[in-house]
Amino acid sequence: DLPNRVFLAERATAALAERAGSHLVALALFDLDRFKSVNDIHGHAAGDAVLLEIANRLVGHVRDEDTVCRNGGDEFLYLLVDPQGRDNVERIAINVSERLAHPIFWEHVQLEVCASIGVALYPTDGITGEDLIRSADAAMYLAKKNRSGFAFAEAVAPAEGS
């Protein structure tokens, strides 16, 4: 029952318009690591159970002003409106990541996934919801590549010619 990426991009753009310059807005992209092995070893029903549990864990964590959505596949987006500073954004993302890493029990099997997280901040990493999603995606791939679990978009080197 999570909204989709289009809804979140619209919500982000609205939040940016409402809060431009007065409050921080952040967008975190969570990509589930080891999710493919859950599907490959235990089947798609197990994968569906994992996605449902991860969605429930995310929804159980968000504040009323925030939005969580499924980005597709094994990715989720988390829009944080006025998270009270960059350090707090990192703290929230890592806290959520730790919650997502708790084992999931399905049909007497313990399934484990964790998340790689990329975070984009308005306005430095984008001025629209779609811009922030692209920046968070690039940061998530950096986190995955570095096996760090977490990266801000500012850490991503700009493409040549940019």
Side-chain angles (χ1 to χ4, degrees):
D1 292 334
L2 289 180
N4 63 20
R5 174 190 173 115
V6 173
F7 176 84
L8 185 119
E10 291 170 356
R11 173 84 169 85
T13 299
L16 300 177
E18 291 170 14
R19 304 193 187 283
S22 62
H23 296 291
L24 179 67
V25 176
L27 187 114
L29 188 147
F30 291 79
D31 179 80
L32 301 182
D33 300 329
R34 300 191 301 250
F35 180 74
K36 183 178 181 330
S37 67
V38 169
N39 274 338
D40 291 348
I41 295 168
H42 303 286
H44 290 282
D48 291 346
V50 167
L51 292 174
L52 182 60
E53 179 59 25
I54 295 299
N56 287 333
R57 289 178 185 181
L58 285 169
V59 168
H61 189 272
V62 298
R63 303 168 303 159
D64 289 340
E65 60 269 32
D66 298 338
T67 304
V68 170
C69 82
R70 185 159 172 219
N71 192 36
D74 62 344
E75 292 183 351
F76 294 85
L77 294 165
Y78 187 160
L79 177 69
L80 296 113
V81 178
D82 193 20
Q84 304 296 313
R86 186 181 188 276
D87 290 343
N88 205 36
V89 171
E90 184 171 359
R91 185 189 61 72
I92 291 167
I94 290 171
N95 181 283
V96 171
S97 179
E98 289 170 355
R99 289 178 187 218
L100 299 184
H102 291 146
I104 297 168
F105 295 93
W106 175 80
E107 291 191 0
H108 308 294
V109 175
Q110 182 175 311
L111 306 172
E112 295 185 19
V113 296
C114 58
S116 292
I117 309 160
V119 176
L121 304 175
Y122 170 83
T124 55
D125 302 320
I127 57 171
T128 69
E130 285 296 329
D131 289 345
L132 291 175
I133 291 169
R134 278 190 293 278
S135 294
D137 188 58
M140 181 275 301
Y141 278 106
L142 178 65
K144 194 175 285 287
K145 176 184 168 192
N146 293 342
R147 298 176 192 239
S148 61
F150 177 85
F152 277 103
E154 68 189 19
V156 178
E160 270 188 48
S162 294

